[in-house]
Amino acid sequence: MQTYGPTTLASDQLHAEKYRSPGESFREAMTRVAKALSDNDDHFKVIREIFLYQRFLPAGRIQSGAGSLRNICMHNCFVSGTIEDSFTEGSGSIMQRAAEAAKTMRMGGGIGYDFSTLRPRGALIRKLGAASSGPLPFMEIYDAIGRATSSAGNRRGAQMGVLRVDHPDIEEFIRAKQNYGKLSGFNISVAITDEFMEAMLQDRPFNLTFEGHIYRQVNAKALWEMIMRSTYDWADPGVLFIDTINERNNLYYCETLAATNPCGEQPLPPYGACLLGSFNLAAYIYRDGLASPWLFDYAKFTMDIAPIVRAMDNVVDKAHYPLHEQEKEARAKRRMGLGVTGVANALEALGHRYASESFRKTLAHILGILRNEAYRASTELATEKGAFPLYDKDKYLQSRFIQTLPENILELIGQRGIRNSHLLSIAPTGTISFCADNVSSGIEPVFATKVKRLVNTLKGQEELEVEDYGYRFFGVEPKTVADCTPADHLSVLACAATFVDSAVSKTVNVPTNIAWEDFSNIYIKAWQENCKGCTTYRVGGMREAILEAAPEEDLSCKVDPDTGERSCDG
């Protein structure tokens, strides 16, 4: 009898723990998911096979929630409604948004916020005749709610806090996580404008403003230095290039993006929802015989895209939403974020060293196929089921990303409309990649040829070593994180970003002793390459290390700074 799913004990146990009901096999789980997301019997058979062979890995919320008896939200993440500058008054007040966040996290959704709408510290509150405390104390309220909230799936809600670089409290925000416990449930990012980057590069003064009022003028270079020093030492804050995000948004004509989901791969409008899944490129590698080289099955990859677009589109209608506003937003635009994982494993099996010119060329070819076929499939769905409600033919076709599509697909969109406003996103994929026998995550390089993980056995809990997928199945000695330069990471990020309509989550790992100017230039280069954001990690910084050595290799793990709990979910 054919067996499906993860072949290693650690991967299978993690999949069972995260995504399956008690006693449910991998095969049964994938049958459940396929049935829930299919349009008809033929569609069910096609996507079930794709899921069984792990050629496409729906995000964890979908795997655990689709067809389940439990009330699990199938969207991974959301962005909060706009936070109005009022503590309790009005439907958009600080505390109302906090209550909505708690409800969202209880159902398993992470959430991002733009705190730039809150008046700065010291500003007059006329009704009270008192001074404002600024955004940071309110972030602590949201952080406490996140720590107190155990979601469906028994994990604490992930959160992203964003503040514009021109907000008067930006310096306090930059320093907010220069500690070992404060805001531990948050990732934070500065929303950098083009105006600021130009002022910094030209060494001009820069205004900090709120609601049109200039609070003070600062040295742009010094503020940039403060941001860079903080992320150099503390790995926070990250950087979002907010003008690039909005200029390249397919829906530039009907929404403004101010925040992202917690990992940054989905810039979203107020109440926006993040629907994710990744094609596992390692599952498309094959050989004609033992003596033949490894090959990539382009035909199968191309054929798999349309049925997956159809299945993921069905999630929008079949999902449970924590809030009505989130459901309304999702159905109006029908966003999804299809991406890739196992990239390093697959391309290195084909003979392309990570980040080499041939690696980037092959990645661009594969992502080009994904982009074109996903958009083609969405136009076909529009013919059958209708375009997304906020589709405006003339304005949509003029958006900057849409203009990068081939002429024949532009013609199809013009003729048929399109079912989904956005289709592409590259997520970190840590857990789902490990559940696929530890394929390399997203577009990251292989971290190590071996990792160690605690698993439950008949003898009790044991620590097992799990080999990297490419090392184990393809016999490839990978170019690991330790072998990659910052330029390697950035070149792969920029390559992928060209083909993605939402955004790309990627960490630029840098050596401990990197020259200061080289570090700062990573972010400048990312902006110049039209990336939508950038995140770095420097081993040896002030932040408690997230990497733990194995006897021979290393294992990418996370340590919860509050509880000390160690996890290897990536």
Side-chain angles (χ1 to χ4, degrees):
M1 181 178 177
Q2 174 70 52
T3 57
Y4 302 99
T7 62
T8 61
L9 178 61
S11 295
D12 185 61
Q13 280 198 2
L14 183 63
H15 192 274
E17 173 191 331
K18 292 284 187 180
Y19 309 135
R20 282 144 49 185
S21 300
E24 187 179 42
S25 68
F26 176 85
R27 181 189 176 102
E28 290 167 337
M30 294 304 99
T31 299
R32 164 176 56 78
V33 175
K35 184 64 176 177
L37 303 187
S38 61
D39 273 348
N40 51 51
D41 193 52
D42 288 339
H43 185 218
F44 163 73
K45 290 175 182 175
V46 170
I47 62 173
R48 180 174 179 265
E49 180 197 295
I50 295 171
F51 295 159
L52 286 174
Y53 285 100
Q54 295 188 290
R55 298 202 299 270
F56 181 79
L57 309 175
R61 299 286 86 193
I62 298 173
Q63 293 195 46
S64 57
S68 170
L69 298 178
R70 295 176 293 168
N71 188 27
I72 294 175
C73 174
M74 288 192 278
H75 289 75
N76 277 55
C77 303
F78 300 85
V79 158
S80 168
T82 301
I83 305 173
E84 296 179 6
D85 191 24
S86 168
F87 187 56
T88 57
E89 296 180 9
S91 59
S93 70
I94 293 165
M95 295 310 295
Q96 177 61 33
R97 293 293 183 247
E100 292 175 350
K103 190 171 182 181
T104 299
M105 288 186 281
R106 284 285 292 171
M107 284 187 65
I111 190 162
Y113 317 84
D114 173 32
F115 290 101
S116 308
T117 54
L118 302 183
R119 76 191 80 184
R121 184 182 292 275
L124 178 65
I125 305 174
R126 296 186 183 279
K127 282 187 178 181
L128 301 178
S132 167
S133 60
L136 269 295
F138 294 116
M139 287 183 67
E140 293 176 15
I141 293 174
Y142 286 68
D143 186 51
I145 290 170
R147 284 187 280 113
T149 302
S150 177
S151 73
N154 299 315
R155 65 176 185 178
R156 294 189 320 181
Q159 300 181 85
M160 167 69 85
V162 177
L163 197 73
R164 285 177 61 92
V165 71
D166 52 13
H167 190 281
D169 286 0
I170 188 62
E171 293 164 86
E172 185 181 2
F173 181 81
I174 292 165
R175 297 189 180 102
K177 290 193 67 178
Q178 294 179 4
N179 55 72
Y180 291 100
K182 203 172 180 182
L183 296 180
S184 61
F186 266 96
N187 292 327
I188 64 171
S189 287
V190 177
I192 300 282
T193 62
D194 289 348
E195 180 185 3
F196 171 78
M197 291 301 292
E198 288 159 4
M200 184 273 295
L201 290 172
Q202 296 169 20
D203 199 11
R204 291 191 281 105
F206 182 71
N207 293 330
L208 301 185
T209 67
F210 185 77
E211 293 186 339
H213 174 67
I214 298 175
Y215 275 68
R216 56 200 169 95
Q217 198 172 71
V218 298
N219 181 294
K221 272 190 177 295
L223 182 55
W224 178 254
E225 175 97 356
M226 181 183 292
I227 296 169
M228 292 295 100
R229 286 290 176 190
S230 184
T231 195
Y232 182 85
D233 286 334
W234 293 92
D236 268 310
V239 163
L240 301 174
F241 298 115
I242 200 67
D243 288 338
T244 303
I245 285 171
N246 279 290
E247 287 167 5
R248 295 174 180 272
N249 179 20
N250 289 355
L251 294 181
Y252 69 95
Y253 58 88
C254 65
E255 65 182 23
T256 299
L257 305 176
T260 73
N261 72 321
C263 290
E265 74 272 14
Q266 280 270 326
L268 295 167
Y271 291 116
C274 166
L275 181 61
L276 300 173
S278 300
F279 286 92
N280 175 12
L281 299 191
Y284 293 94
I285 298 294
Y286 74 101
R287 62 181 4 158
D288 287 330
L290 292 177
S292 75
W294 293 107
L295 304 168
F296 188 84
D297 196 335
Y298 285 99
K300 184 174 288 185
F301 176 64
T302 302
M303 288 179 62
D304 283 352
I305 294 170
I308 290 299
V309 170
R310 179 179 289 270
M312 294 290 280
D313 179 68
N314 285 337
V315 176
V316 176
D317 298 317
K318 298 184 179 184
H320 300 289
Y321 294 84
L323 305 172
H324 170 70
E325 294 86 349
Q326 294 163 344
E327 180 175 7
K328 182 179 178 182
E329 169 67 24
R331 291 185 180 227
K333 300 166 185 175
R334 308 191 72 84
R335 259 181 174 90
M336 70 175 73
L338 305 182
V340 289
T341 192
V343 170
N345 287 159
L347 272 59
E348 290 193 318
L350 299 176
H352 309 299
R353 191 81 164 151
Y354 187 85
S356 65
E357 183 179 354
S358 65
F359 181 99
R360 299 194 307 273
K361 183 177 179 180
T362 305
L363 176 60
H365 180 57
I366 291 172
L367 292 180
I369 293 171
L370 176 57
R371 178 198 64 186
N372 296 347
E373 294 306 315
Y375 272 84
R376 189 193 311 278
S378 191
T379 65
E380 292 170 356
L381 275 180
T383 303
E384 177 185 338
K385 299 184 177 184
F388 69 91
L390 291 181
Y391 172 67
D392 181 311
K393 174 183 172 180
D394 294 335
K395 292 177 181 176
Y396 189 82
L397 286 172
Q398 290 305 310
S399 62
R400 290 183 66 174
F401 181 84
I402 296 300
Q403 285 289 304
T404 68
L405 295 170
E407 190 63 35
N408 65 327
I409 296 179
L410 290 174
E411 291 175 3
L412 288 175
I413 296 173
Q415 294 165 4
R416 303 173 177 178
I418 192 162
R419 181 69 171 166
N420 314 96
S421 69
H422 297 71
L423 288 140
L424 306 162
S425 183
I426 296 179
T429 74
T431 305
I432 59 173
S433 294
F434 190 89
C435 289
D437 280 332
N438 194 31
V439 297
S440 56
S441 297
I443 58 170
E444 301 289 358
V446 172
F447 190 81
T449 57
K450 296 178 184 177
V451 300
K452 57 182 180 179
R453 190 172 187 93
L454 293 173
V455 299
N456 295 315
T457 70
L458 293 176
K459 299 178 181 178
Q461 200 170 64
E462 294 185 20
E463 191 171 64
L464 300 182
E465 284 195 343
V466 182
E467 292 180 323
D468 165 65
Y469 187 95
Y471 181 76
R472 179 186 178 197
F473 288 98
F474 304 145
V476 172
E477 282 284 352
K479 182 176 180 179
T480 66
V481 168
D483 303 320
C484 292
T485 66
D488 289 336
H489 288 285
L490 193 56
S491 69
V492 175
L493 170 62
C495 174
T498 303
F499 298 92
V500 171
D501 56 21
S502 290
V504 178
S505 179
K506 166 114 183 64
T507 300
V508 177
N509 293 84
V510 301
T512 302
N513 60 348
I514 185 172
W516 172 249
E517 186 176 350
D518 292 343
F519 180 82
S520 179
N521 283 340
I522 291 170
Y523 288 82
I524 296 171
K525 180 74 169 173
W527 175 66
Q528 292 170 336
E529 293 277 358
N530 294 312
C531 297
K532 294 177 180 177
C534 188
T535 302
T536 55
Y537 179 73
R538 184 179 70 92
V539 177
M542 298 293 290
R543 178 71 59 198
E544 202 166 21
I546 62 169
L547 306 178
E548 182 176 299
E552 297 179 16
E553 300 285 353
D554 287 322
L555 167 59
S556 180
C557 291
K558 291 184 178 179
V559 177
D560 186 303
D562 269 354
T563 65
E565 180 182 358
R566 171 179 169 274
S567 66
C568 306
D569 295 349

